[in-house]
Amino acid sequence: MSTPVLRRVIRRETHSPRTVAMFVAVILLILALAYIGLEIVLSLAAQPALLIGPAAAGGWLIGLPTAQPAGLVIAGSVVLALIGVIFIVLAITPGRLSKHVLDGGGRAVVVDNGVIASALAQHLAEETGLARDSITVGVGHRTVDVTVRPGIGIPLDKADVASAAEAELQTYRLAHRVRTRVRIERPAEKEDEL
């Protein structure tokens, strides 16, 4: 992963573009500007407005703080501010895909989190001797969550499962270190009914 081209390829494969958010924002902006332009043209042509004319809209906007209840103005301002913050966050933060980069020795190796989770769950099933269905693994960007549900009376140590999971993750050579969390779920023992 030393060349700039390889780094760019990896970034494109692990981060999602903001195309949908940009598309929605642009469409809303185009519709708003088209409506404002149509109202201005109708006003200049001395035709009745579709909803509200430019002069009436400007007068309403100027008189808004005094004509409307203060709570309503504040609530509307907060909603508009939240929409603005959402658009700013979408514009600044990168969209992450559920993939990890493996150290491929000069090659770009990108693996889906589901593949890592499945391989780790299979390895843990073989290590512990449990059925594959008894182990659930979730892989995130920074953490790996392992949930083991052994049957009644099957001894299982949380530290052993954690060390086996971490050892297996080391063999995958993930480019970014992940933290492993292990949870053992013991089924409640049922009392015999008479």
Side-chain angles (χ1 to χ4, degrees):
M1 290 187 265
S2 59
T3 66
V5 173
L6 201 53
R7 283 194 302 269
R8 181 163 169 81
V9 167
I10 288 172
R11 173 135 177 100
R12 288 183 61 123
E13 289 296 320
T14 57
H15 291 77
S16 66
R18 295 297 188 179
T19 307
V20 174
M22 183 192 67
F23 181 75
V24 169
V26 167
I27 292 296
L28 290 176
L29 184 64
I30 287 173
L31 289 175
L33 291 175
Y35 169 72
I36 291 170
L38 180 63
E39 289 291 0
I40 290 172
V41 168
L42 288 175
S43 175
L44 291 175
Q47 297 294 321
L50 290 177
L51 294 177
I52 187 168
W60 176 80
L61 193 60
I62 291 171
L64 182 65
T66 57
Q68 301 297 326
L72 188 61
V73 173
I74 291 171
S77 301
V78 167
V79 168
L80 286 176
L82 285 176
I83 291 171
V85 167
I86 289 171
F87 277 116
I88 289 171
V89 167
L90 285 175
I92 293 173
T93 60
R96 300 278 317 241
L97 295 174
S98 59
K99 296 180 181 182
H100 270 87
V101 178
L102 305 182
D103 183 17
R107 291 184 171 81
V109 181
V110 179
V111 179
D112 189 72
N113 288 355
V115 173
I116 296 170
S118 180
L120 183 59
Q122 182 63 38
H123 175 76
L124 291 175
E126 292 169 0
E127 285 286 319
T128 59
L130 297 174
R132 169 64 180 84
D133 296 341
S134 300
I135 300 173
T136 305
V137 177
V139 178
H141 294 296
R142 294 184 183 98
T143 60
V144 174
D145 294 318
V146 178
T147 303
V148 182
R149 291 176 295 285
I152 297 173
I154 298 176
L156 197 60
D157 186 31
K158 183 177 178 179
D160 291 341
V161 175
S163 65
E166 289 172 6
E168 182 67 11
L169 285 171
Q170 290 296 324
T171 64
Y172 297 163
R173 297 186 318 183
L174 298 175
H176 299 289
R177 180 157 163 64
V178 293
R179 190 169 39 97
T180 305
R181 292 188 301 210
V182 176
R183 190 174 61 205
I184 307 290
E185 289 184 357
R186 300 269 178 204
E189 298 197 25
K190 298 179 182 177
E191 296 181 11
D192 291 332
E193 295 180 3
L194 296 175

